[in-house]
Amino acid sequence: MNIKQNHSLKKYNTFNIEAKADYFVELSSEADVFSLINSDILKNNEILIIGGGCNILFVNDFKGLVVKVANKGIEKIKEDKENVYLRVAAGEDWDSFVKYCVNNNYYGAENLSLIPGCVGSCVVQNIGAYGVELKNVFYELTAYDIFSGDKTVFDKQKCEFGYRKSIFKNKTFSKYLIFSVVFKLSKKQNFVLDYGNIKQEIEKLSGSKLNVKILRDVVCKIRNSKLPDITQIGSAGSFFKNPFVSFDKFFEIKKKYPEIVAYKIKDNLYKLSAAWMVDKCGWKGKRFGDAGVYEKQALVIVNYGNATGKEIYNLSKEIQKSVFEKFNIQLQPEVIII
Ligand SMILES: Cc1cc2nc3c(=O)[nH]c(=O)nc-3n(C[C@H](O)[C@H](O)[C@H](O)COP(=O)(O)OP(=O)(O)OC[C@H]3O[C@@H](n4cnc5c(N)ncnc54)[C@H](O)[C@@H]3O)c2cc1C
């Protein structure tokens, strides 16, 4: 275990923000985790655990220790007639895992193709796309309490999954280090096709019989057409969460804007498209220096080059303000602001 001091975080966050951590360590094995747990550095420092840094905005330097989880590996631990159970290291790249499932005809994760980040953090965020959330394929995980060293297994219920959140995002932020995750994939096809423009894209492939590889390709194609390539443009994906409102609030907006994009979740609960609201406020494609709103997706704030964390943050505040003024709705960031 090699603890570095005054370490640049620029290559550890996909916004490409220049920020420094007082201390930085990368953990690749269980032995590294134990070395950290037994070291004095935890006693006197604030801790931030990271994976790929795809959902973090550094507004300031981090006064403490950044712990990057970088263990790797995918292992089949059991299977029965219906399902296969895979243990995946928390530092494994999420999309490499999805690709592994698709190549082996293990079903359930394909709609979550191409989401950047590591497996452990994808659990923290309960990532979702095209009608599927990570919790749909989650079985259990193993985490270490980095202060006591206790090892705990969390099943689905204990994780308290919600919309882009889990117990690890709320109550236990940087207390538990997720070390490995067990996923339960199906051996039978049961595709979710009703969300976004998946069906329309599949219809264009007339003649081909749908299979999991085709579905992954379709999801990747749609995502590539809408989202920035993070190797070229800094971003953390959707900056804000979609807000949930009552029927009355939905109806009030719909009266004024009949074209509103919203989804009925249940009676008296509607999910509004934050992207539509931000777009309606005129932000799509706006640029201020190197900070801007992506021209193809209004929910994505981007760093075109050398924007600072503060510039990105200030832009997000302006967007929040204008959405509030127009719709009387307070958007909440999905991105973790440090
Ligand atoms: C272009 C783009 C597109 C995106 N599209 C989507 C999308 O479609 N759907 C979606 O849901 N998200 C999306 N995201 C957001 C992002 O990919 C996810 O939130 C992903 O889970 C972040 O993974 P990460 O490893 O980079 O997490 P990080 O940003 O490194 O960390 C996220 C959180 O997890 C915690 N954490 C990280 N590792 C651990 C660990 N091992 N143990 C405990 N806590 C940990 C961190 O402290 C932090 O709170 C997108 C992002 C980008 C840049």
Side-chain angles (χ1 to χ4, degrees):
M1 190 186 66
N2 176 13
I3 297 178
K4 294 171 179 154
Q5 281 190 41
N6 200 24
H7 196 66
S8 168
L9 298 171
K10 189 165 169 131
K11 68 172 188 179
Y12 300 101
N13 72 96
T14 54
F15 256 127
N16 293 329
I17 299 296
E18 183 54 271
K20 290 232 158 63
D22 284 352
Y23 301 99
F24 178 89
V25 70
E26 211 164 304
L27 307 180
S28 305
S29 64
E30 210 158 22
D32 283 347
V33 176
F34 290 130
S35 303
L36 178 69
I37 288 169
N38 292 322
S39 74
D40 284 341
I41 197 160
L42 291 179
K43 292 189 186 122
N44 313 315
N45 285 289
E46 238 189 276
I47 311 295
L48 174 66
I49 303 171
I50 63 166
C54 306
N55 209 33
I56 295 179
L57 173 65
F58 288 104
V59 178
N60 296 297
D61 290 339
F62 187 71
K63 299 276 157 222
L65 170 70
V66 170
V67 178
K68 167 150 175 72
V69 178
N71 57 335
K72 301 278 180 220
I74 302 176
E75 173 198 5
K76 191 198 280 183
I77 52 168
K78 62 175 178 176
E79 69 182 304
D80 52 35
K81 250 165 75 186
E82 308 268 305
N83 299 296
V84 58
Y85 297 77
L86 302 174
R87 175 172 292 121
V88 188
E92 189 62 69
D93 173 60
W94 170 261
D95 191 52
S96 304
F97 163 63
V98 175
K99 199 169 167 191
Y100 173 91
C101 294
V102 166
N103 286 341
N104 286 284
N105 292 322
Y106 301 148
Y107 304 103
E110 53 280 356
N111 287 32
L112 302 175
S113 289
L114 221 59
I115 298 180
C118 297
V119 163
S121 2
C122 288
V123 174
V124 175
Q125 300 291 103
N126 185 25
I127 53 167
Y130 302 105
V132 174
E133 286 183 319
L134 178 141
K135 68 172 186 192
N136 302 137
V137 288
F138 177 88
Y139 185 65
E140 65 178 30
L141 65 78
T142 301
Y144 289 95
D145 178 329
I146 52 168
F147 301 105
S148 69
D150 291 345
K151 186 175 180 174
T152 309
V153 173
F154 288 76
D155 63 13
K156 200 184 260 195
Q157 205 185 351
K158 262 191 177 171
C159 287
E160 297 181 15
F161 288 119
Y163 171 54
R164 299 295 174 274
K165 67 177 184 183
S166 66
I167 190 169
F168 305 101
K169 188 157 178 183
N170 299 328
K171 296 181 198 162
T172 61
F173 189 65
S174 283
K175 167 176 158 66
Y176 285 108
L177 183 147
I178 298 170
F179 189 73
S180 64
V181 185
V182 177
F183 294 98
K184 180 180 169 184
L185 284 309
S186 172
K187 289 180 168 177
K188 292 190 181 134
Q189 290 185 14
N190 185 14
F191 296 140
V192 178
L193 306 173
D194 307 329
Y195 216 84
N197 44 346
I198 289 194
K199 259 194 192 142
Q200 289 97 298
E201 285 297 324
I202 287 171
E203 275 157 20
K204 288 187 201 159
L205 305 167
S206 54
S208 334
K209 190 170 175 321
L210 182 61
N211 64 37
V212 69
K213 290 194 180 73
I214 293 180
L215 181 50
R216 172 175 161 86
D217 287 348
V218 164
V219 170
C220 291
K221 185 178 164 206
I222 299 172
R223 292 183 66 92
N224 281 331
S225 70
K226 280 206 241 165
L227 293 164
D229 172 356
I230 46 174
T231 63
Q232 306 295 323
I233 302 176
S235 113
S238 301
F239 198 93
F240 300 104
K241 295 185 196 179
N242 290 317
F244 290 84
V245 298
S246 66
F247 173 77
D248 287 348
K249 182 70 201 171
F250 160 71
F251 194 66
E252 179 195 316
I253 302 177
K254 191 163 174 66
K255 264 198 309 196
K256 212 164 165 195
Y257 303 98
E259 74 280 20
I260 182 177
V261 179
Y263 309 89
K264 182 176 176 181
I265 304 297
K266 56 182 181 184
D267 283 345
N268 209 25
L269 190 66
Y270 284 73
K271 182 163 93 172
L272 308 185
S273 162
W276 176 82
M277 286 190 276
V278 175
D279 194 7
K280 201 77 198 164
C281 291
W283 287 101
K284 204 194 247 177
K286 287 262 168 75
R287 182 170 172 170
F288 308 88
D290 275 349
V293 176
Y294 193 51
E295 75 252 13
K296 294 184 197 159
Q297 227 302 356
L299 211 48
V300 176
I301 300 184
V302 287
N303 174 8
Y304 286 106
N306 292 314
T308 62
K310 284 202 173 76
E311 284 166 343
I312 300 279
Y313 178 73
N314 289 342
L315 174 57
S316 79
K317 284 283 161 199
E318 287 302 316
I319 295 171
Q320 269 177 321
K321 197 168 146 224
S322 71
V323 167
F324 186 75
E325 280 166 7
K326 202 175 191 75
F327 300 106
N328 196 21
I329 283 183
Q330 190 65 52
L331 290 182
Q332 298 299 333
E334 178 181 321
V335 171
I336 294 149
I337 294 163
I338 302 289

